[in-house]
């Protein structure tokens, strides 16, 4: 892992990329989304403060557990003066994200457990299909093949 001399307080995008393991394009993307920031030199080159390494590590760790970037950005924005997240910040934020992650895990487990029940063709088993018709919501209104015709347009629109 490339070392950065402790007297260097600002990093180029290449140095930040090499040290953080994030691609330069990812760093530019993070910056465009307000997750990290840089200043520009007189030659219009990006310079990142050294503490950006910790912010990038924070973002990447949160992403690995499935936290959306918008949620990460909001969490970072709540830090006083947009300071670098600390261990305590991570502990507090990860606790608030825990219930969201637990719910996602529950949903994924439910989908996995019922995947063998689904043949994925839109058959007449939609009354029990947890993928297309969770909790048989549609079964209260319609039954049979008419359901497929009505749902065809909804499915295309992501409903």
């Amino acid at each position: 892992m490339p070392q950065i001399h402790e007297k260097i307080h600002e990093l180029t995008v290449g140095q930040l990329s090499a040290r953080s393991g994030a691609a330069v394009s990812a760093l530019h993307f993070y910056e465009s989304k307000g997750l990290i920031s840089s200043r520009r030199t007189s030659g219009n080159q990006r310079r990142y403060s050294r503490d950006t390494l910790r912010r990038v590590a924070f973002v990447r760790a949160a992403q690995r557990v499935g936290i959306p970037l918008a949620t990460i950005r909001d969490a970072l924005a709540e830090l006083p003066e947009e300071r670098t997240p600390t261990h305590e910040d991570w502990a507090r934020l990860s606790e608030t994200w825990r219930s969201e992650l637990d719910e996602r895990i529950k949903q994924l487990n439910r989908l996995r457990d019922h995947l063998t029940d689904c043949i994925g063709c839109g058959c007449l088993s939609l009354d029990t299909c947890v993928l297309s018709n969770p909790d048989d919501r549609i079964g209260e209104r319609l039954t049979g093949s008419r359901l497929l015709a009505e749902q065809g347009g909804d499915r295309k629109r992501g409903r």
Side-chain angles (χ1 to χ4, degrees):
M1 181 176 304
Q3 295 296 313
I4 299 169
H5 194 275
E6 64 188 43
K7 291 185 180 182
I8 297 176
H9 297 289
E10 288 189 321
L11 308 172
T12 65
V13 70
Q15 290 170 321
L16 182 60
S17 173
R19 185 69 173 90
S20 69
V24 169
S25 59
L27 297 172
H28 290 170
F29 180 74
Y30 291 164
E31 190 169 355
S32 74
K33 297 299 181 185
L35 299 164
I36 61 174
S37 61
S38 67
R39 74 167 186 88
R40 296 293 182 137
T41 67
S42 58
N44 202 31
Q45 296 175 331
R46 289 178 169 94
R47 292 294 184 265
Y48 297 91
S49 65
R50 191 178 182 93
D51 65 341
T52 305
L53 281 168
R54 182 169 294 184
R55 287 179 78 89
V56 171
F58 181 92
V59 169
R60 295 186 78 196
Q63 279 186 296
R64 272 194 295 278
V65 296
I67 305 301
L69 286 179
T71 303
I72 299 168
R73 182 186 59 239
D74 293 345
L76 288 170
E78 290 177 13
L79 297 176
E81 299 175 11
E82 294 191 10
R83 68 170 165 71
T84 300
T86 64
H87 176 76
E88 292 77 22
D89 293 325
W90 177 259
R92 179 179 46 80
L93 291 168
S94 64
E95 185 61 35
T96 63
W97 294 334
R98 183 174 298 278
S99 62
E100 179 183 332
L101 291 173
D102 287 342
E103 183 58 32
R104 281 194 211 159
I105 291 168
K106 182 179 163 186
Q107 290 172 350
L108 287 171
N109 283 332
R110 182 175 177 221
L111 289 173
R112 181 205 57 215
D113 294 346
H114 291 92
L115 190 58
T116 56
D117 298 337
C118 177
I119 60 174
C121 68
C123 66
L124 295 180
S125 68
L126 287 173
D127 62 329
T128 59
C129 181
V130 296
L131 299 175
S132 299
N133 186 18
D135 302 319
D136 194 22
R137 291 186 313 241
I138 300 170
E140 296 171 6
R141 296 184 294 117
L142 292 171
T143 59
S145 59
R146 293 173 295 159
L147 180 60
L148 296 177
E150 181 179 295
Q151 233 190 353
D154 290 347
R155 202 175 292 140
K156 289 177 188 167
R157 289 188 292 273
R159 293 185 195 156

